[in-house]
Amino acid sequence: PPADGRTSQVNPATPIGSPFGWHDTNGAAGAEVTITQGNNVQAYTDTDANNTPDAGSSPDGGAGLVFDFPLDLTLAPSGYRPAAVTNLFYWNNVQHDVLYQYGFDEVAGNFQVNNYGNGGLGNDSVQAEAQDGSSTNNANFATPADGSRPRMQMFIWTAPTPDKDGDLDNGIILHEYGHGVSNRLTGGPANVGCLGNSEQMGEGWSDWMTVYFTALSSHTATTNRGVGTYALNQPINGQGIRPAPYNTDLGANSFTYTNLPTVAVPHGVGFVWNTMLWEMYWALVTEHGFDSDLYTGTGGNNLAMQLVIDGMKIQPCSPGFVDGRDAILQADVALTGGANQCLIWEAFAKRGLGFGASQGSSGSAAD
């Protein structure tokens, strides 16, 4: 409940990630605007695909900043645009605020208009384009260097009837934002061209964001987790758009490093990488527990996110799987003194990336 699946979130901005709220840009108390625009993201529709906001398409929450708009899912997506744009605005801000806690901050190249004197380059909030008219059945995220604005384009999915709106598939939003994170962190925020090689794991880190942020305390290691289940009109435990669901059961997901030459570049490559990350996630959750507080929690899930973010900062430009594994191991040594080395090694080894794994050239997924 309620029937449309939504809940109301009250004052969701966090004082660390967004100290002046989501609608600030000047660093002083009080919102500068009352629409879906602020320091971290500007959300609107771009149905004519001209890369500028459709007139009046950023819904207005009024003086009280109350963004509560009707959502009738029996209608075509054109019938509930304010609700869709609100959801897109919400998730971009949540992901910004959560990841700020783990080190995707101003110096690391995060997306903000005003960096509040904390370093890095500003004026690069996300341009989040709902119901973008340039394509269907997909989404994308373009990431320029720190100081230039990225663009997230969310599309309509046409397979079901009525069409599904990608702006209501939280996992796809999280996935696309993840591309901005991995591109800014790998090689540093001024060098966003480090994830163009064949064995790079960008799609995997983006899938990681999907399954991490949407994990529930009721899930187990063998709960099927998919990407794009809403867009494809699948149940929440459906396979989604990948070759198998994310699941530590080899019967449900048998993919290992051995499969890399046979999967598509880059999505299949990323799928195999996140299959490995998901093994590590559950090894750490089993050892340290699950904490539903994604901001400042102390569970194994929080630790896993910290290691993934730190690993992206440590690894070289044009990384391969061995590079990514070694960076996570190094991150654990720096963070915990290596308390989780065995767990991490065993998780990767289960999926073929153990001590004897050979990367070959990170420019090839076939060697």
Side-chain angles (χ1 to χ4, degrees), residues 46-355:
D46 182 23
T47 58
D48 59 2
N50 67 351
N51 290 337
T52 59
D54 297 335
S57 66
S58 294
D60 197 326
L65 300 177
V66 178
F67 295 85
D68 187 3
F69 303 102
L71 177 63
D72 182 350
L73 294 174
T74 67
L75 300 177
S78 58
Y80 49 74
R81 284 172 179 159
V85 173
T86 295
N87 196 62
L88 184 60
F89 178 76
Y90 172 81
W91 277 106
N92 270 264
N93 276 299
V94 166
Q95 200 164 1
H96 168 277
D97 284 4
V98 170
L99 295 178
Y100 196 101
Q101 304 278 154
Y102 296 92
F104 187 51
D105 53 17
E106 295 92 347
V107 173
N110 73 349
F111 311 121
Q112 295 182 186
V113 175
N114 189 335
N115 281 3
Y116 300 134
N118 294 323
L121 300 177
N123 297 313
D124 60 354
S125 62
V126 177
Q127 302 169 93
E129 299 180 339
Q131 299 187 13
D132 190 283
S134 63
S135 188
T136 58
N137 304 321
N138 208 334
N140 61 59
F141 194 102
T143 318
D146 192 23
S148 295
R149 299 186 71 187
R151 186 182 308 278
M152 175 187 290
Q153 294 181 313
M154 303 297 294
F155 302 140
I156 301 299
W157 291 70
T158 60
T161 303
D163 292 343
K164 296 286 188 178
D165 186 353
D167 302 293
L168 298 182
D169 193 314
N170 302 334
I172 293 180
I173 299 171
L174 292 159
H175 172 99
E176 295 306 332
Y177 196 101
H179 282 301
V181 178
S182 60
N183 276 308
R184 286 274 175 100
L185 291 184
T186 304
N191 183 18
V192 293
C194 283
L195 296 180
N197 56 304
S198 294
E199 202 177 319
Q200 60 90 7
M201 303 86 88
E203 295 293 342
W205 286 304
S206 284
D207 278 7
W208 160 261
M209 296 294 177
T210 296
V211 293
Y212 178 88
F213 274 86
T214 58
L216 303 174
S217 60
S218 59
H219 289 163
T220 70
T222 57
T223 299
N224 279 346
R225 304 299 315 287
V227 176
T229 53
Y230 175 80
L232 295 181
N233 205 30
Q234 295 179 358
I236 199 167
N237 61 348
Q239 178 176 322
I241 57 179
R242 300 295 178 240
Y246 291 112
N247 189 319
T248 64
D249 181 354
L250 289 167
N253 179 338
S254 62
F255 284 79
T256 70
Y257 197 38
T258 304
N259 295 109
L260 213 60
T262 67
V263 296
V265 178
H267 291 90
V269 171
F271 160 73
V272 175
W273 176 246
N274 192 46
T275 293
M276 297 176 180
L277 292 182
W278 204 231
E279 291 286 351
M280 181 188 76
Y281 173 96
W282 276 107
L284 292 170
V285 168
T286 300
E287 179 71 16
H288 302 290
F290 176 86
D291 195 326
S292 59
D293 178 1
L294 300 186
Y295 297 87
T296 59
T298 58
N301 54 318
N302 306 97
L303 175 59
M305 177 59 85
Q306 189 66 71
L307 295 178
V308 167
I309 294 296
D310 290 351
M312 282 190 272
K313 293 180 178 181
I314 292 170
Q315 68 195 4
C317 190
S318 300
F321 277 42
V322 170
D323 294 323
R325 178 204 67 192
D326 289 350
I328 288 174
L329 287 162
Q330 186 177 339
D332 178 60
V333 171
L335 183 68
T336 74
N340 304 286
Q341 295 289 286
C342 275
L343 291 179
I344 296 169
W345 271 113
E346 289 169 359
F348 281 110
K350 178 180 173 181
R351 296 291 177 168
L353 201 67
F355 184 76

Side-chain angles (χ1 to χ4, degrees), residues 7-41:
T7 59
S8 296
Q9 304 299 310
V10 180
N11 295 331
T14 61
I16 296 178
S18 297
F20 299 95
W22 287 351
H23 292 82
D24 177 80
T25 55
N26 67 1
E32 274 70 81
V33 293
T34 60
I35 59 175
T36 51
Q37 179 178 348
N39 203 46
N40 310 322
V41 57

